[in-house]
Amino acid sequence: MRRLRRFLFWLIALDLLATTLFWGVTRFMDEARGIQGGTGVVFYTDNERDAAARIAKAVNLLKAGKLDRLYMVGGHRPQEGWLGSQEMALIAARGSGLGGRISADVESRDTISGLKNLARDAYTRAPGELVFVSNCMQLVRAKAIYNMQPEHQPRVLGACPPGDLNPIDIWRRAHYEAAAWILLVLPEKWQDTVLDRLRGADEAARETEDAG
């Protein structure tokens, strides 16, 4: 029993240490000072507070002339009748008054599909530079996924809001990212299966078939 307690103690200690180190290192992902134009790619999240922070960061960069336009990606939930990226684009447009420079990818449902669409979209790549706007921890994964795409741009910057310093939120985000990295290394077919399960796509497909 003593060995088990010792094992659990060190497991928790190492987990907290790894979380702290990961959080600390990802602080350097914010490159807002070096941004001098291009497209701000804002990643969808269903966390309202996090989404508001991402939108505010992107809109401020747009108003300051550091970005030419904004492009929202992710959050396509057909089974719920929800287009997360479009909703974020509308919020950003209403808040900034610059709706003509804000658009959305209404097909991507997650980070992976959003980045694949982004790499294929010549219109989005036209300004020459991309700036990913998201949680600092997600930016590490987003850049890695984007760089895997055959048509990716060689230079991508990152911008992230200050974020909440709540230790529980930091721990949750770090472990969410750990799970997302595990998903990323799975074969593409397995990735689709897992994402379908998480997003309820299988159930939506069955409902459509039943209705037909």
Side-chain angles (χ1 to χ4, degrees):
M1 191 65 179
R2 182 179 298 177
R3 287 184 178 179
L4 178 60
R5 286 198 298 266
R6 184 178 299 175
F7 172 77
L8 291 175
F9 170 80
W10 284 111
L11 184 64
I12 293 172
L14 289 172
D15 178 72
L16 294 176
L17 177 61
T19 297
T20 303
L21 288 174
F22 181 50
W23 176 83
V25 169
T26 57
R27 298 301 93 189
F28 295 99
M29 295 303 294
D30 187 10
E31 303 166 288
R33 292 184 179 180
I35 297 172
Q36 297 181 347
T39 299
V41 180
V42 187
F43 291 88
Y44 170 79
T45 174
D46 55 8
N47 183 307
E48 293 184 4
R49 183 170 56 182
D50 198 5
R54 296 180 192 186
I55 292 171
K57 180 80 172 187
V59 166
N60 288 338
L61 291 172
L62 186 65
K63 286 183 175 181
K66 290 193 170 187
L67 290 175
D68 301 316
R69 64 194 192 92
L70 302 182
Y71 188 65
M72 313 298 184
V73 301
H76 179 48
R77 306 285 187 269
Q79 71 279 8
E80 301 171 13
W82 176 254
L83 293 173
S85 58
Q86 189 175 61
E87 181 65 22
M88 288 181 68
L90 290 172
I91 293 173
R94 287 195 295 264
S96 66
L98 299 171
R101 296 162 64 186
I102 301 172
S103 57
D105 171 7
V106 297
E107 296 180 355
S108 58
R109 61 180 179 177
D110 48 60
T111 302
I112 296 175
S113 60
L115 290 168
K116 286 182 177 180
N117 291 348
L118 189 67
R120 289 194 300 262
D121 192 342
Y123 173 67
T124 303
R125 292 178 305 176
E129 183 168 277
L130 295 178
V131 179
F132 291 169
V133 183
S134 184
N135 179 284
C136 288
M137 294 186 189
Q138 186 189 18
L139 288 181
V140 178
R141 177 167 54 92
K143 284 189 176 184
I145 296 171
Y146 185 71
N147 288 333
M148 294 176 186
Q149 309 309 312
E151 299 177 333
H152 74 275
Q153 288 191 40
R155 177 175 168 80
V156 178
L157 297 178
C160 49
D164 195 339
L165 297 180
N166 185 322
I168 296 177
D169 288 341
I170 292 173
W171 185 88
R172 287 175 177 171
R173 167 56 66 177
H175 286 73
Y176 174 89
E177 286 300 315
W181 275 102
I182 293 172
L183 176 64
L184 182 60
V185 301
L186 294 176
E188 187 172 350
K189 185 176 181 180
W190 292 13
Q191 291 179 11
D192 292 338
T193 299
V194 172
L195 290 172
D196 286 342
R197 293 283 185 179
L198 292 174
R199 304 306 185 198
D202 290 343
E203 294 180 6
R206 285 196 295 269
E207 290 175 1
T208 300
E209 291 177 359
D210 293 341

